[in-house]
Amino acid sequence: MSTRILEVRNLVTSFKTDRGIMKAVDGVSFHVEKGEILGLVGESGCGKSVTSQSIMRLYDEKNLVRYEGEVLLEGRNLMKLPEHEMQHICGKEIAIVFQDSLSSLNPVFTCGDQIMEALIIHQGMSKKEAKERAIEMLRLVGIPSPEKRFNQYPHELSGGMRQRVMIACALSCQPKLLIADEPTTALDVTIQAQIMELIVELNRKLQMGVILITHDLAVVAETCNRVAVMYLGQIVEEADVNTIFDNPRHPYTMGLLQSIPRLEGERARRLHVIQGTVPLLNQIPKGCRFRPRCPYAADICQSEMPELRQISDTQFVRCWHVEHIHNGR
Amino acid sequence: MELQMEQMNEIKRALQREQRQLMLRKFFRNKLAVIGSSIVLTLVLVAIFADVIAPQDPLDMVVRDRLTPPGSKYLFGADTFGRDVLSRVIHGARVSMLVGTCVGLSSMVFGMLIGLYACYYSFLDNVLMRICDGLSAIPSTLLAIALMAVLGSTATNVIVAMSIVYVPRMARVSRAAAMVVKEQTYIEAMRATGASDSRIIWRHIAPNILSPVIVQASYNFANSIITEAALSFLGVGIPVPQPSWGNILNEGKSVITTGWWLIVFPGAATALAVLGLNILGDGLRDMLDPHTN
């Protein structure tokens, strides 16, 4: 039995906006185990990033946002912690890598300075110790001649290098949980592969839990242990990675999988698309949220929202028609 | 691979060197900026070495020579008490530069303080910025006179009063710049790293807003020289007999028809100083702002 690092229970994140309160995350529950990579998948605007940033409570709670539910980091409820204790958790126990590597680094400091920040804040290291450690971190994330890179500014590095520096920043205090929020979106394909390999390798080496947020299903297939599919602030399907790809049970998951272009098969076959777009948060449909775009929609879908039901040891699905749908048939 | 990297680095380093040189060249190619900075530099040197340069003691009265027109004995003439106007103008530069520097620096420090905290804490924003609005609503000279009336006229109070006058502008500039920086991902990344608010404000936001702040500080410097001259001219600034450009003008106004040199030389010195500082400010803006090319 492996240990759970993070457990999220019924997380609700609602934003106060001019047009009323909008729930960007609505009752999300999942967990991450030690040494595990959990993929969080969905289209843009499904609440993946909001979920991850809510875990770290990065939004302005005084004016902007209200959290409900529990986020348990090794049994400790982060939602109940006062702000200054939360500062000890962020960066030390949980770290995050953002997708935009250019704007994630402060242009007025060298890369080394930025890696040292977390070490000085959390470990109380002296500048000299922190520098040694930072160079070690740069080497760990595969940056050649780290001593030189230490003194370079972010604009002097390429996108892939900057993302590596970001990962070095995130990992400098050896967090128990790493949140990677679309870490490879801004990079080209070869660099993408390198960065993903690096994350997987470090995940094995340091035995930390990873939440990988992405809309690239190929990346998910290669790296994740388990996958949670999100749609409009809810998890619609959760399963281990093989089940998701071999036996998806939610129409949205199937739609996502069918939307991947394939090389084999009929050339003339048109690429499958999911009809419509993700609705805005103030236009959430009644009943099942995916209904307006779902090819299997029936009357019951319109009136009642399905619960997330367990259908096997590892698979959970939020759909009324689970029994009738098998792999798209 | 390693060799390639090495070459790439070599190229990059060369580019950086180029860039640094480009920035300096940009400054030197901007003729106005060079003129402005040389004027300011000259005045600063004059102010520092006033005792050495000035041909006579600025307070030394030779009653026999009162109102001597400019000539070989008194290059800028002598005033109503027979004091050397050149020496007084030179020592006046010291006062002006001192006041300008102090006001420029203190308005920069306090303006940034207010601007940064107003930007970071929304509950402070309204309070602080409305106070600043209120202060900006009163014409700066009038406000300075009122403050001098309350504080009493000493050189230190001139600096204090004018800092109060110029802080709101600086607060506005730094708040606007900080608002932009605050929304950047790297600030969010720092919060995700667990940095405390004050660390984020001073270590991560402040350095990123320095360029507009420095430009505004140079304008504040220039404006405070004018305001100081105005205060002294009105008799609420630097106390007489200490020489300041405004004081010399004040003493000259009663003999304006006979002693034109008492008005022209300190007036020209003030104009020159302000011109130089404004040109320097424009040059700095062009150099520091990436949007102007």
Side-chain angles (χ1 to χ4, degrees):
Chain A
M1 181 74 193
S2 46
T3 46
R4 286 184 179 188
I5 291 181
L6 183 84
E7 180 151 13
V8 177
R9 287 186 197 150
N10 274 320
L11 178 71
V12 178
T13 306
S14 32
F15 289 91
K16 295 167 207 159
T17 68
D18 295 339
R19 283 178 292 173
I21 287 171
M22 295 197 187
K23 284 186 180 175
V25 175
D26 195 357
V28 163
S29 305
F30 62 86
H31 67 271
V32 183
E33 282 167 15
K34 195 174 181 186
E36 180 188 51
I37 303 184
L38 173 75
L40 211 52
V41 189
E43 283 166 282
S44 301
C46 284
K48 299 165 296 187
S49 294
V50 177
T51 305
S52 68
Q53 298 191 21
S54 300
I55 291 171
M56 299 182 81
R57 284 170 59 189
L58 287 182
Y59 295 108
D60 181 2
E61 282 164 72
K62 287 190 196 89
N63 306 302
L64 185 68
V65 85
R66 210 172 72 126
Y67 300 122
E68 286 161 71
E70 291 178 329
V71 175
L72 303 171
L73 181 75
E74 295 184 319
R76 200 149 49 126
N77 189 356
L78 300 184
M79 287 297 163
K80 290 257 154 46
L81 289 183
E83 202 180 328
H84 65 273
E85 274 182 51
M86 201 58 209
Q87 281 173 359
H88 293 302
I89 304 269
C90 287
K92 191 181 179 194
E93 320 244 322
I94 309 178
I96 188 164
V97 176
F98 292 100
Q99 61 166 300
D100 187 351
S101 60
L102 177 58
S103 57
S104 303
L105 291 168
N106 194 335
V108 300
F109 291 116
T110 63
C111 298
D113 279 333
Q114 319 212 20
I115 301 173
M116 280 159 62
E117 271 302 274
L119 293 167
I120 291 169
I121 294 170
H122 294 299
Q123 317 262 13
M125 283 190 182
S126 69
K127 283 232 158 141
K128 206 173 147 229
E129 288 170 311
K131 183 176 177 177
E132 272 170 32
R133 189 69 211 281
I135 289 173
E136 205 179 294
M137 289 311 299
L138 285 171
R139 193 171 288 125
L140 181 73
V141 296
I143 289 180
S145 48
E147 288 85 359
K148 231 184 318 177
R149 300 293 173 186
F150 182 88
N151 289 317
Q152 286 187 320
Y153 287 90
H155 71 270
E156 299 174 43
L157 302 182
S158 65
M161 283 293 171
R162 281 198 294 262
Q163 197 59 284
R164 282 168 195 262
V165 172
M166 276 308 294
I167 293 173
C169 286
L171 297 184
S172 57
C173 290
Q174 304 218 337
K176 293 174 183 129
L177 180 72
L178 176 73
I179 301 173
D181 190 349
E182 303 193 20
T184 57
T185 311
L187 306 173
D188 68 54
V189 186
T190 46
I191 309 294
Q192 257 184 34
Q194 290 174 13
I195 296 284
M196 285 323 302
E197 263 169 42
L198 172 68
I199 291 178
V200 173
E201 189 195 315
L202 293 172
N203 156 261
R204 297 221 176 96
K205 214 189 267 176
L206 308 172
Q207 278 298 299
M208 62 183 178
V210 177
I211 299 177
L212 178 69
I213 297 172
T214 180
H215 43 236
D216 189 340
L217 288 164
V219 167
V220 170
E222 275 172 38
T223 53
C224 297
N225 304 96
R226 272 185 316 120
V227 183
V229 183
M230 279 189 81
Y231 186 75
L232 269 184
Q234 293 180 328
I235 288 179
V236 292
E237 181 160 7
E238 187 193 320
D240 62 275
V241 69
N242 292 329
T243 315
I244 281 279
F245 282 91
D246 298 340
N247 187 21
R249 302 291 289 274
H250 194 282
Y252 181 59
T253 317
M254 287 184 242
L256 286 180
L257 290 170
Q258 282 162 9
S259 306
I260 305 172
R262 283 177 207 286
L263 285 175
E264 70 265 28
E266 234 178 299
R267 287 275 303 273
R269 197 179 72 102
R270 291 195 50 181
L271 187 62
H272 176 87
V273 290
I274 305 176
Q275 294 300 317
T277 52
V278 183
L280 296 174
L281 283 175
N282 54 355
Q283 296 162 356
I284 290 177
K286 257 184 72 179
C288 173
R289 296 187 169 188
F290 188 56
R291 180 190 52 79
R293 303 174 70 188
C294 180
Y296 304 95
D299 286 347
I300 190 169
C301 307
Q302 193 152 14
S303 52
E304 276 174 76
M305 173 149 56
E307 292 297 311
L308 193 63
R309 274 188 294 159
Q310 185 160 21
I311 58 166
S312 75
D313 281 353
T314 57
Q315 195 168 16
F316 299 80
V317 182
R318 190 191 287 273
C319 181
W320 290 117
H321 308 302
V322 169
E323 283 77 20
H324 315 299
I325 304 171
H326 285 283
N327 204 9
R329 281 178 292 276
Chain B
M1 185 74 183
E2 196 59 28
L3 194 72
Q4 246 176 344
M5 287 292 288
E6 213 36 61
Q7 280 172 340
M8 288 268 287
N9 286 339
E10 203 52 54
I11 293 168
K12 263 188 190 159
R13 264 197 298 278
L15 280 173
Q16 278 156 30
R17 235 176 291 134
E18 182 97 340
Q19 217 162 26
R20 225 170 290 141
Q21 283 170 354
L22 219 108
M23 200 147 145
L24 279 178
R25 215 182 304 151
K26 210 161 128 190
F27 184 77
F28 282 112
R29 213 173 28 205
N30 189 343
K31 289 205 182 67
L32 282 174
V34 177
I35 295 170
S37 47
S38 34
I39 293 174
V40 174
L41 197 68
T42 316
L43 284 170
V44 168
L45 288 177
V46 166
I48 292 170
F49 298 108
D51 294 324
V52 186
I53 303 170
Q56 287 170 39
D57 186 334
L59 300 178
D60 210 10
M61 299 186 208
V62 185
V63 184
R64 192 162 25 91
D65 290 339
R66 54 195 295 266
L67 286 176
T68 311
S72 56
K73 188 168 182 197
Y74 301 107
L75 208 56
F76 283 10
D79 68 3
T80 45
F81 295 100
R83 293 175 295 198
D84 180 30
V85 175
L86 175 61
S87 307
R88 287 180 70 73
V89 169
I90 288 171
H91 278 269
R94 179 178 273 185
V95 171
S96 289
M97 288 295 142
L98 184 72
V99 169
T101 312
C102 292
V103 172
L105 284 178
S106 68
S107 69
M108 183 166 136
V109 170
F110 290 106
M112 273 180 83
L113 191 83
I114 294 172
L116 284 169
Y117 279 91
C119 150
Y120 204 80
Y121 298 107
S122 48
F123 63 94
L124 281 176
D125 192 15
N126 269 322
V127 180
L128 289 174
M129 291 329 278
R130 289 307 79 76
I131 293 173
C132 287
D133 284 349
L135 286 174
S136 330
I138 309 167
S140 53
T141 316
L142 200 63
L143 180 60
I145 293 170
L147 286 167
M148 286 309 292
V150 176
L151 298 169
S153 56
T154 65
T156 322
N157 286 348
V158 171
I159 292 166
V160 173
M162 278 198 297
S163 302
I164 295 173
V165 171
Y166 289 109
V167 157
R169 296 181 196 186
M170 186 59 90
R172 197 145 280 286
V173 168
S174 41
R175 175 179 171 274
M179 281 291 191
V180 177
V181 175
K182 190 187 145 197
E183 298 304 321
Q184 299 292 320
T185 320
Y186 55 81
I187 298 301
E188 200 181 354
M190 272 331 290
R191 292 207 292 127
T193 309
S196 62
D197 287 355
S198 58
R199 193 176 179 96
I200 290 175
I201 290 173
W202 290 109
R203 200 171 145 77
H204 294 274
I205 300 181
N208 279 297
I209 64 165
L210 272 183
S211 49
V213 162
I214 287 172
V215 173
Q216 180 63 35
S218 76
Y219 292 139
N220 279 356
F221 195 137
N223 287 334
S224 66
I225 287 179
I226 299 185
T227 314
E228 181 269 317
L231 287 179
S232 300
F233 178 74
L234 294 169
V236 289
I238 306 294
V240 284
Q242 208 180 342
S244 109
W245 294 338
N247 282 346
I248 307 172
L249 284 166
N250 183 24
E251 284 153 17
K253 75 173 188 293
S254 51
V255 290
I256 192 165
T257 44
T258 46
W260 55 268
W261 53 91
L262 284 177
I263 305 296
V264 168
F265 294 115
T270 314
L272 188 71
V274 173
L275 181 73
L277 280 162
N278 277 330
I279 293 174
L280 177 66
D282 286 346
L284 283 175
R285 188 196 55 208
D286 291 347
M287 193 178 74
L288 295 171
D289 185 358
H291 298 297
T292 57
N293 224 331

